Amino acid sequence: MFILLDSRLRGNDGTECFMNFIPVILWSDALVFLLIAACIIATLYVRKREHLLLPWRRVAQSSMAMVSLLVLSLFLLVGLLDTLHFRVALPQSNNGEKVYSPEVLSVFDKVVEPLRTHTEKTYSAPFALTLYAKESMTNAQGNIVREYPRLRFGGVHLADEAARDGDVVKRAAVGGALGVIVGMLFLGISSFPRKRENKAGGRSFEERPSSGVIKNALLNGWIPAFAGMTALKEHRAIVIALLVITTLIGAIANLSTAYHVLGTDKVGADVLYLSLKSIRTGLIIGTVTTLVTLPLALFLGVAAGYFRGWVDDVIQYVYTVLSSIPSVLLIAAAVLMMQVTIDTHPEWFETSAARADMRLVALCLILGLTSWTGLCRLLRGETLKLREMEYIQAAQSFGVSSMRILTRHIMPNVMHIILIALVMDFSGLVLAEAVLSYVGVGVDPSMISFGTMINGARLEMGREPMVWWALAAAFSFMLVLVLAANLFADAVRDAFDPRLNRSH
């Protein structure tokens, strides 16, 4: 089930014309847009309050946190581009009405279209020019021999296989150099100071008159830029990380135009493309699940700690029972029941992408309903402590309503726990998706994810010769994502934890 946005346009003559594509909003896309809107609102809210902005300034002072945030931003950019979906128009029409392809693509698919469309016959190793297995071929003499056939796209520009190593080095150097140039330009633009008002003359710094072209150029360009670059020395780790990342991206981008950098899988799909497409699935599992976890944990945890009595007993009984059931078995049972429902109602979905997306959203709901207990315990304990504070008891003595006490005094004082828990649980949810998909109760098999890549590589590792690159690619991308998230979570915890702040 998904939403189609009508792309028909009406011309001056009253006739309707159609665009070459029609936007598609899947349910997971809508949830991502909701999260983005919530983040924007929260950012605007925090910026206007100094006491809320102070912990984030402490986070910004950590070089490790900023480098981790830079890496996470790249993953988020890929995930966001992969969230903008559409369907392209087919050449034929149905009684004058435009017909659209059942295949749902994304903006990211168009950006990396060569990676998506340049598929081989079967396995090929990274930077290989031939397939990974021998096939029966007819040579120039008409004899049938067993040889490694050349790839259709990988290294097709090379006539001599011996020239591959030099070509790879040359393309990597050129791409890396372009990446360094882009990184330096970005640093130069970001370090260039803004216009400053001249209090004496009422003009901006750049508009101040000067005698001579050289002096004007120095005052308006080189000196401010040099001062900005000098200020970047305070953020040396971020500058180095940015240059390293842009160099790697430039080298890989240039190499991927001529080679399969990470090889191909069983059906000939580029493994680099599959790894990049898996990022969106991991990010959605790690972020959209919070839409379910946060309301349950916040409402039940605060209610149990503040009202106590039978309310506390009921809520404790519920999360104790849930915690007693093995989470994997509970999730597997829920996923299997959900899968039976989807299979018995195929008319709900117009495309296979909508069907796979519904299973992804259902998996987020299931993970959220089974993972709120830990945060609920933390919030209950913190609320029990806050309830005995003098300002809470004073508010109760003055007859302030419980709802006002909860919204004005309790919830703002537990937000640091919520933020720390959600950021630290992100990596756990990404790993949970990989484990669940590996055992067959995760995302739809047609959806690309780290778990499905690892599951597919399981059998490939047992063949001879061994196909190792699919597993290595999924492991590497997931390692970088989870490591960056964990390092950023550590910085957020150090900045928001009041006990650590008092010790400094």
Side-chain angles (χ1 to χ4, degrees), residues 247-306:
T247 302
L248 289 177
I249 292 177
I252 294 174
N254 196 30
L255 287 170
S256 62
T257 59
Y259 299 95
H260 297 291
V261 178
L262 297 179
T264 58
D265 64 355
K266 185 176 182 179
V267 296
D270 193 280
V271 174
L272 176 60
Y273 171 74
L274 298 178
S275 302
L276 293 173
K277 288 285 288 185
S278 301
I279 293 175
R280 177 183 180 269
T281 306
L283 291 177
I284 288 181
I285 292 290
T287 56
V288 174
T289 305
T290 60
L291 290 176
V292 182
T293 303
L294 182 57
L296 284 173
L298 179 60
F299 175 76
L300 296 178
V302 171
Y306 182 79

Side-chain angles (χ1 to χ4, degrees), residues 233-351:
K233 291 182 179 180
E234 301 176 359
H235 308 284
R236 186 175 302 172
I238 302 175
V239 173
I240 295 175
L242 178 63
L243 293 178
V244 170
I245 290 174
T246 54
T247 302
L248 289 177
I249 292 177
I252 294 174
N254 196 30
L255 287 170
S256 62
T257 59
Y259 299 95
H260 297 291
V261 178
L262 297 179
T264 58
D265 64 355
K266 185 176 182 179
V267 296
D270 193 280
V271 174
L272 176 60
Y273 171 74
L274 298 178
S275 302
L276 293 173
K277 288 285 288 185
S278 301
I279 293 175
R280 177 183 180 269
T281 306
L283 291 177
I284 288 181
I285 292 290
T287 56
V288 174
T289 305
T290 60
L291 290 176
V292 182
T293 303
L294 182 57
L296 284 173
L298 179 60
F299 175 76
L300 296 178
V302 171
Y306 182 79
F307 293 106
R308 297 189 298 187
W310 67 268
V311 176
D312 188 18
D313 294 338
V314 171
I315 294 175
Q316 283 193 77
Y317 179 78
V318 171
Y319 69 61
T320 302
V321 171
L322 283 177
S323 301
S324 302
I325 304 174
S327 58
V328 175
L329 295 180
L330 185 61
I331 294 172
V335 169
L336 292 176
M337 289 188 294
M338 173 267 301
Q339 185 61 37
V340 172
T341 303
I342 292 178
D343 292 340
T344 53
H345 297 85
E347 68 278 2
W348 290 355
F349 313 103
E350 187 174 348
T351 63

Side-chain angles (χ1 to χ4, degrees), residues 384-450:
L384 285 172
K385 182 182 71 174
L386 292 174
R387 192 181 188 278
E388 304 302 325
M389 302 296 290
E390 294 181 355
Y391 63 91
I392 300 293
Q393 294 180 355
Q396 293 173 344
S397 300
F398 280 105
V400 180
S401 64
S402 298
M403 185 58 64
R404 187 171 179 82
I405 293 176
L406 289 175
T407 56
R408 294 296 300 272
H409 300 291
I410 300 295
M411 289 187 181
N413 285 284
V414 299
M415 291 307 295
H416 68 283
I417 295 179
I418 295 174
L419 186 60
I420 293 171
L422 293 181
V423 174
M424 298 190 71
D425 288 346
F426 171 82
S427 57
L429 292 171
V430 174
L431 296 174
E433 181 276 325
V435 174
L436 293 173
S437 298
Y438 176 77
V439 299
V441 293
V443 299
D444 192 84
S446 63
M447 176 170 286
I448 304 173
S449 71
F450 294 124

Side-chain angles (χ1 to χ4, degrees), residues 168-234:
V168 168
V169 173
K170 178 181 177 181
R171 287 179 177 271
V174 172
L178 292 176
V180 171
I181 294 174
V182 172
M184 294 297 294
L185 289 176
F186 180 80
L187 291 174
I189 294 174
S190 61
S191 63
F192 203 91
R194 298 177 180 178
K195 293 183 179 181
R196 300 195 304 267
E197 291 293 332
N198 189 350
K199 296 181 180 179
R203 298 182 181 182
S204 64
F205 180 80
E206 286 79 2
E207 294 174 346
R208 187 170 54 190
S210 58
S211 59
V213 177
I214 298 177
K215 183 179 179 181
N216 190 27
L218 289 174
L219 290 176
N220 297 340
W222 294 105
I223 291 179
F226 178 77
M229 291 297 290
T230 303
L232 287 176
K233 291 182 179 180
E234 301 176 359

